[in-house]
Amino acid sequence: MLYSEKVMDHFEHPRNVGEIADADGVGQVGNPKCGDIMKMYLKIDGDVITDVKFKTFGCGSAIATSSMATEMIRGKTIGEAMELTNAAVAEALDGLPGYKMHCSVLAEEAIKAALADYYKRQGKEVPDNLKLPCEDEEHGGCCSCGH
Ligand code: FES
């Protein structure tokens, strides 16, 4: 079987799909490898992510990884969400085929972009680790930061 049961479950029954009208941070990123797009909405209270929703034009792997990623950051602090990597999300799904790893980058980057947007809206400086990676090996050299 190409995809794990968890991937299939999150693909067929994605969690947290939609929009948050009064979101505190919104991030949109594109995947340069396939042209797919992901939008992430965060509701933040104090330091805690109280709600999260996503929308994507990505493939099944993008849907499954975003669904899992939103479950992993809901109720977590901003600091914890910042630490979430696409590799950790893929691992939580019991793995993805190697050639689909680039799809999982969308969720991580969209969360980071939404957190960066939150900092900007608060009038605060965006922390360095929210700046999107340029040609980062771990990210398969794919980058949507526009640098
Ligand atoms: Fe584009 Fe998977 S092929 S996100």
Side-chain angles (χ1 to χ4, degrees):
M1 176 89 174
L2 187 57
Y3 293 107
S4 73
E5 277 179 27
K6 282 190 191 168
V7 171
M8 290 310 294
D9 177 35
H10 279 265
F11 167 55
E12 285 172 357
H13 311 284
R15 282 63 146 179
N16 309 313
V17 174
E19 293 179 30
I20 299 175
D22 58 344
D24 298 305
V26 180
Q28 179 170 316
V29 294
N31 194 325
K33 292 219 169 161
C34 59
D36 290 335
I37 294 169
M38 166 86 59
K39 203 162 179 182
M40 190 71 68
Y41 302 81
L42 298 176
K43 196 82 192 134
I44 297 173
D45 186 7
D47 191 30
V48 175
I49 296 167
T50 55
D51 199 10
V52 49
K53 294 231 185 302
F54 77 93
K55 275 181 143 181
T56 185
F57 291 103
C59 67
S61 297
I63 292 168
T65 48
S66 311
S67 169
M68 177 56 93
T70 54
E71 292 280 272
M72 289 170 85
I73 64 165
R74 182 193 289 277
K76 298 281 164 55
T77 64
I78 292 173
E80 287 168 327
M82 268 185 212
E83 299 291 314
L84 185 74
T85 63
N86 69 309
V89 175
E91 202 181 309
L93 286 167
D94 294 337
L96 274 178
Y99 69 96
K100 298 302 281 182
M101 277 304 282
H102 73 92
C103 310
S104 66
V105 175
L106 275 178
E108 179 195 323
E109 290 198 345
I111 289 168
K112 287 187 170 159
L115 287 171
D117 180 52
Y118 169 74
Y119 275 90
K120 281 184 206 144
R121 290 187 195 203
Q122 300 286 311
K124 294 182 188 155
E125 199 179 325
V126 177
D128 275 351
N129 55 355
L130 288 181
K131 292 179 181 148
L132 295 172
C134 291
E135 289 159 19
D136 183 328
E137 283 295 311
E138 263 186 62
H139 288 74
C142 98
C143 175
S144 50
C145 67
H147 290 175

